[in-house]
Amino acid sequence: MRKVYLDHSATTPVRSEVAQVVTEYYTNIFGNPSSVHSFGREARKGIENAREQVANLINGKPEEIIFTSGGTEADNMAIIGSALANKNKGKHIITTAIEHHAVLDSCKYLEKEGFKVTYLPVDSEGMIDLETLKANITEETILITIMHVNNEVGTILPIKEVGAIAKERGILFHVDAVQSYGKLPIDVNEMNIDMLSASGHKIYGVKGVGCLYLRRGVKLHPIMFGGAQERKRRPGTENVPGIVGFGLASELAGQEMEMENQRLTVLRDKLITGILENIPCTQLNGHRTQRLPGNVNISFEFIEGESLLLMLDLKGIAASSGSACTSGSLDPSHVLMAMGLCHEIAHGSLRLTLGRDNTEEDIDYVLEVLPEIVERLRAMSPLYNNRDKHRNHREECSICTLRK
Amino acid sequence: MLYLDNSATTKTHPEVIKVMADVMENYFGNPSSLHQKGLEAEKLLSKSREVVARSLGVLPQEIIFTSGGTEGDNLALKGIALAYQNRGKHIITTKIEHPAIINSCAQLEELGFEVTYLDVDELGLVNPQDVEKNIKNETILISVMHVNNEVGSIQPLAQIGEIIKNYPKIFFHVDAVQGFGKAPLELKEWNIDLATISGHKIHGPKGIGALYVKKGLNLFPLFTGGGQENNVRSGTENLPAIVGFAKACQIAREIFVDDSKKMRLYKEKCLEILKKDFPQIIINGPKDEKSSPYILNISVPKLQGEILLHALEEEEVYVSTGSACSSKKDILSPVLSAMKIDKEIMQGSIRVSFSYGVTEKDIEEFLDALARALKRLGKRG
């Protein structure tokens, strides 16, 4: 059976160049970078080279890169760390309603610590409004944290514009770039970003490694304590092979970004059009144009996303209904709800995220099997069979954006 | 070439590398995903958790995977302190703990906790009676390391656990990063509630470790987010490293008993030769079964440890001065200071750390290299 992996926003396979260098480091360059002997020095060289590779990709300086255990740690460090370090200046934070849980839960923690957090609403395409952002800034605002690309619907948020506003008002700006790093151009200077979180395993690097870009001069209250690694900002023996692999994955992603994005955009649009045109009662979630090249998110009316996933899985297609982290939960996606979808449409969403191993044949295969699966599932649904009656009922549902 | 800095980090075992390469290539799914790739990954994750649990003699649900020893220590201390602060705000630890413990305690002091740092004797051992003497009504946590990372002293955890047993409201945490797989560790028997272990100290991968947390305990998380690891440790699980770590635990479990017995004999022989042929050398830490057979800390008075380290490096023997985490700082070792060792001797200290597979011949080679290095430095006694 054909195997098609379409869950690249959850995680990506490790690319062979990365696997090779990681294995090489595990085998031969195993020293502790803090050791003063040659084993330590060699390992240190690998880390510093990776630091340059990462810095280059976002136009930062190598000394502004702190390696972490991944995106979650970087988000926690940036948000909790900068809020605690700046609480004497004010205790207000602005974020959006559609952030990853690593950001949302860090904000929730700060609320318990007496901070006030504004969760900016988004429109039906997952976009924030810059005027609303401006209107919510107060004298007390010390931090704006906004994701670059939404992990579920792929909407690209106006980071550069937010950065300009933050700079003008003298407010720290953190960007959760876990879904965009290595996939979209990022320039921390041009975009006025003070802190940025990135992860290795979303760009064909290894799991368990990521980084926080921390602009020189920005103070953080550390969340972990121990040795003096990473200029005393992140203790713990460095994950040398993981970091070296992350550096290489970053460099390669930068080299291939433009070509790969062109290719993925064509495949993505073919997939979106093919589904919307051939399967009735479907809608695209997220922005039409300001969208990550590899992201497709579609709601199928009268279908449970999870049963769709299982059927696709039986056909060798790996997909998701939203973010992987929340896949065990029965709650509807907070992102789709914030975009104004009603529960049942949100439950029928399917996320297909494309990557470098996908070909046009993969897309053709999905377009071949998906309509049959949807038809079969709908045939079992009493709601679908009474859909006209049901639809009438739903038009009264005031928050739902579907076909309005 | 002789790598004798295994307390800083160890060479990854070839079998560990093999399983990790396989996971990277074939099991790259996110364990939280519902599709086949995710389920395969989830299955491997649970299997690895079972293996790690078995190597510690605990239940799989009592294992939380972390990014390493530092995170494990931070999570244990702050996790317990913040979750149980309504019971009291007093913590007992020792003066010879790793910076991950000492600095986490310092942070807790800033948050209003009181921390007692216990003294050690001249061999680097904590006296269990001191633990009991310092217990108060407000004490919620006692954290004592298993094997000291600089001098190899094995702390009397069984006796301390016996004392803590009489105080059911006090939790007992053990930083077992240097001891796990290298010295006996009986978590259940010794009444230990939390224990930190690390992958790269036992020939597993870097960037991975685990925290044992006794069933029923609550921890306040260090990071929040996707809710992985039972909501205690968010972040996509580092599966290749977890599987590699499990492999390393399994290997350690198979060879530890025999290897440590063998190593004990080698170390005894080594100490004999040092005493006989190197009368100027001072041994720091216990010389008997109260020290790890894998760690040897020696001083040559009036000789800077770093100079000896580089002289040995010229002989292709790689050792360290104290712990790697503090090796670049000019400050004196807090561990040796706590042992009240003369400043002159302290500055001359080097740590030689062994691991599985070190042979008697390696020890001889080390002693030969040491003799040559000292001769060149004009310190041959």
Side-chain angles (χ1 to χ4, degrees):
Chain A
M1 185 178 52
R2 196 179 180 96
K3 292 268 186 196
V4 182
Y5 184 76
L6 289 172
D7 201 9
H8 290 85
S9 284
T11 193
T12 57
V14 180
R15 58 189 297 166
S16 58
E17 302 95 319
V18 170
Q20 208 181 337
V21 70
V22 169
T23 310
E24 160 68 15
Y25 266 74
Y26 271 124
T27 314
N28 296 317
I29 309 176
F30 64 88
N32 185 326
S34 298
S35 295
V36 291
H37 50 62
S38 61
F39 285 86
R41 293 195 300 270
E42 247 186 297
R44 163 73 47 210
K45 231 194 278 170
I47 293 190
E48 296 315 324
N49 181 47
R51 209 184 297 282
E52 265 176 49
Q53 290 169 312
V54 170
N56 282 343
L57 188 56
I58 56 173
N59 196 25
K61 296 190 193 81
E63 64 270 23
E64 294 175 321
I65 303 297
I66 305 169
F67 289 112
T68 66
S69 68
T72 294
E73 184 185 340
D75 281 340
N76 276 257
M77 255 175 100
I79 295 168
I80 298 174
S82 66
L84 293 180
N86 290 286
K87 63 181 177 191
N88 54 341
K89 293 184 192 154
K91 294 185 106 179
H92 178 233
I93 295 164
I94 299 177
T95 185
T96 79
I98 59 166
E99 299 295 312
H100 187 273
H101 280 291
V103 169
L104 291 178
D105 290 357
S106 295
C107 288
K108 294 255 159 62
Y109 167 76
L110 288 169
E111 282 180 304
K112 278 190 215 147
E113 295 289 307
F115 286 79
K116 196 173 159 271
V117 181
T118 301
Y119 300 88
L120 295 177
V122 293
D123 66 15
S124 59
E125 294 185 302
M127 197 56 89
I128 54 164
D129 175 40
L130 295 170
E131 294 309 315
T132 313
L133 166 66
K134 281 187 205 160
N136 277 285
I137 293 175
T138 71
E139 287 296 305
E140 286 276 295
T141 311
I142 52 167
L143 173 68
I144 298 174
T145 170
I146 290 182
M147 69 197 329
H148 190 188
V149 167
N150 180 267
N151 52 320
E152 294 190 31
V153 297
T155 301
I156 302 171
L157 298 173
I159 290 311
K160 193 177 162 188
E161 289 76 4
V162 175
I165 295 169
K167 191 181 180 190
E168 196 199 311
R169 302 292 301 259
I171 299 167
L172 287 177
F173 182 32
H174 168 251
V175 175
D176 173 1
V178 167
Q179 292 291 345
S180 65
Y181 175 82
K183 298 177 186 167
L184 294 177
I186 295 174
D187 183 322
V188 289
N189 296 317
E190 202 191 315
M191 294 169 157
N192 288 306
I193 295 168
D194 297 307
M195 296 174 277
L196 176 137
S197 311
S199 165
H201 75 103
K202 309 284 189 192
I203 58 159
Y204 312 96
V206 292
K207 293 183 177 62
V209 66
C211 76
L212 176 66
Y213 161 79
L214 181 67
R215 184 175 291 283
R216 204 175 170 166
V218 175
K219 296 250 171 322
L220 277 198
H221 188 96
I223 56 174
M224 275 211 268
F225 297 81
Q229 290 92 345
E230 298 294 282
R231 294 168 177 249
K232 295 192 181 167
R233 294 172 302 194
R234 203 288 185 178
T237 300
E238 298 89 338
N239 179 357
V240 183
I243 289 170
V244 169
F246 180 41
L248 180 60
S250 302
E251 187 180 313
L252 295 171
Q255 288 166 7
E256 295 166 4
M257 191 185 292
E258 212 180 319
M259 289 279 282
E260 181 64 359
N261 280 350
Q262 281 174 16
R263 194 183 74 88
L264 288 178
T265 304
V266 172
L267 294 183
R268 175 197 74 189
D269 290 345
K270 180 174 181 178
L271 186 54
I272 292 175
T273 315
I275 295 174
L276 295 180
E277 281 180 359
N278 295 312
I279 306 176
C281 305
T282 48
Q283 73 160 18
L284 179 68
N285 298 318
H287 205 282
R288 284 253 161 211
T289 52
Q290 290 302 304
R291 183 179 200 98
L292 187 74
N295 178 288
V296 175
N297 188 313
I298 288 182
S299 276
F300 296 79
E301 273 187 88
F302 314 110
I303 284 184
E304 282 285 331
E306 292 209 356
S307 38
L308 190 51
L309 290 188
L310 292 177
M311 300 285 273
L312 283 169
D313 203 21
L314 292 175
K315 293 279 184 189
I317 299 168
S320 70
S321 55
S323 103
C325 303
T326 48
S327 59
S329 138
L330 292 174
D331 296 333
S333 147
H334 69 284
V335 176
L336 298 180
M337 296 305 282
M339 287 162 58
L341 269 69
C342 64
H343 269 245
E344 37 187 318
I345 303 294
H347 270 303
S349 75
L350 174 71
R351 180 183 72 171
L352 301 165
T353 42
L354 286 64
R356 59 194 295 272
D357 46 328
N358 293 129
T359 60
E360 188 162 10
E361 286 75 44
D362 290 343
I363 304 304
D364 292 336
Y365 178 64
V366 175
L367 289 174
E368 181 194 318
V369 300
L370 188 59
E372 290 168 31
I373 292 175
V374 171
E375 204 172 316
R376 208 162 349 133
L377 287 171
R378 282 181 176 165
M380 296 186 282
S381 159
L383 291 179
Y384 184 68
N385 296 326
N386 294 311
R387 60 185 172 282
D388 291 338
K389 206 170 122 201
H390 189 73
R391 275 251 176 75
N392 288 339
H393 161 72
R394 228 207 5 254
E395 266 158 26
E396 294 161 19
C397 168
S398 61
I399 54 160
C400 189
T401 57
L402 191 82
R403 279 181 236 298
K404 271 211 294 206
Chain B
M1 194 280 286
L2 196 51
Y3 180 81
L4 296 178
D5 195 11
N6 289 286
S7 288
T9 193
T10 57
K11 191 170 186 337
T12 318
H13 195 287
E15 272 187 61
V16 170
I17 298 175
K18 213 169 94 188
V19 295
M20 286 204 298
D22 181 38
V23 176
M24 279 196 274
E25 197 183 334
N26 301 312
Y27 298 91
F28 64 84
N30 185 325
S32 298
S33 294
L34 294 176
H35 48 66
Q36 197 58 39
K37 279 278 164 223
L39 296 180
E40 284 168 9
E42 163 62 30
K43 225 184 263 173
L44 267 184
L45 177 63
S46 331
K47 224 178 112 188
S48 305
R49 201 186 300 280
E50 278 169 31
V51 173
V52 174
R54 205 178 311 133
S55 72
L56 284 168
V58 302
L59 301 169
Q61 66 263 39
E62 295 177 319
I63 297 295
I64 294 166
F65 289 113
T66 65
S67 68
T70 293
E71 187 187 329
D73 282 342
N74 274 261
L75 179 58
L77 263 58
K78 282 178 271 177
I80 287 289
L82 298 178
Y84 292 94
Q85 55 185 321
N86 56 339
R87 286 191 191 172
K89 294 184 106 174
H90 179 237
I91 294 164
I92 299 174
T93 186
T94 80
K95 286 187 177 163
I96 59 163
E97 299 295 312
H98 186 272
I101 296 287
I102 298 281
N103 295 339
S104 291
C105 285
Q107 190 206 5
L108 287 168
E109 285 178 308
E110 274 175 38
L111 294 175
F113 286 80
E114 188 201 339
V115 182
T116 302
Y117 300 89
L118 299 177
D119 283 319
V120 292
D121 66 13
E122 69 289 351
L123 296 174
L125 292 163
V126 174
N127 183 344
Q129 261 68 56
D130 285 347
V131 176
E132 180 141 41
K133 265 188 246 159
N134 282 284
I135 291 175
K136 317 195 250 195
N137 277 339
E138 297 77 37
T139 309
I140 53 171
L141 176 66
I142 295 173
S143 181
V144 178
M145 73 196 323
H146 180 204
V147 169
N148 178 266
N149 50 320
E150 292 189 35
V151 298
S153 49
I154 302 176
Q155 303 306 321
L157 298 181
Q159 290 97 298
I160 296 171
E162 201 54 45
I163 292 165
I164 298 177
K165 214 184 202 168
N166 303 321
Y167 301 87
K169 287 198 167 166
I170 299 177
F171 298 113
F172 185 20
H173 168 252
V174 170
D175 172 0
V177 168
Q178 287 292 344
F180 173 63
K182 307 226 163 146
L185 179 63
E186 301 297 338
L187 297 176
K188 297 287 177 188
E189 210 181 303
W190 299 350
N191 198 34
I192 293 167
D193 299 299
L194 304 107
T196 307
I197 60 174
S198 163
H200 75 103
K201 307 286 191 191
I202 56 158
H203 304 275
K206 292 186 176 60
I208 194 73
L211 180 65
Y212 153 73
V213 185
K214 192 177 168 181
K215 206 168 76 180
L217 261 64
N218 290 321
L219 283 191
F220 190 91
L222 277 186
F223 332 139
T224 51
Q228 290 90 345
E229 299 294 290
N230 233 340
N231 258 326
V232 173
R233 204 284 181 182
S234 290
T236 301
E237 298 88 342
N238 183 357
L239 192 65
I242 288 172
V243 177
F245 180 35
K247 188 75 192 175
C249 288
Q250 193 183 32
I251 295 169
R253 189 177 136 97
E254 282 161 14
I255 62 179
F256 152 65
V257 175
D258 288 346
D259 194 86
S260 61
K261 262 187 217 149
K262 193 184 71 187
M263 208 55 234
R264 172 78 62 203
L265 292 177
Y266 298 166
K267 189 177 166 186
E268 275 168 14
K269 220 181 243 175
C270 179
L271 288 172
E272 261 171 48
I273 294 171
L274 283 173
K275 195 176 161 192
K276 186 160 66 78
D277 296 349
F278 300 78
Q280 78 278 38
I281 283 182
I282 290 162
I283 312 291
N284 300 312
K287 297 181 190 67
D288 55 9
E289 75 289 344
K290 284 180 183 143
S291 90
S292 162
Y294 295 96
I295 295 178
L296 173 68
N297 190 311
I298 57 175
S299 286
V300 182
K302 293 185 186 146
L303 177 61
Q304 288 282 338
E306 191 149 343
I307 292 172
L308 180 54
L309 180 146
H310 288 300
L312 283 169
E313 194 172 0
E314 277 171 44
E315 302 284 339
E316 292 194 27
V317 173
Y318 303 91
V319 300
S320 74
T321 58
S323 94
C325 299
S326 52
S327 60
K328 281 183 186 160
K329 283 179 278 171
D330 277 338
I331 54 162
L332 296 168
S333 151
V335 175
L336 298 179
S337 303
M339 289 160 64
K340 302 200 172 58
I341 288 181
D342 283 351
K343 198 175 157 193
E344 211 170 62
I345 296 171
M346 221 181 330
Q347 285 170 333
S349 123
I350 61 163
R351 177 184 69 183
V352 186
S353 47
F354 313 113
S355 195
Y356 310 143
V358 167
T359 62
E360 201 168 0
K361 207 172 137 266
D362 292 335
I363 306 281
E364 282 164 17
E365 219 180 293
F366 159 66
L367 289 168
D368 288 346
L370 181 65
R372 284 195 301 273
L374 288 175
K375 196 171 173 196
R376 256 189 301 124
L377 294 170
K379 293 286 175 186
R380 190 69 218 261

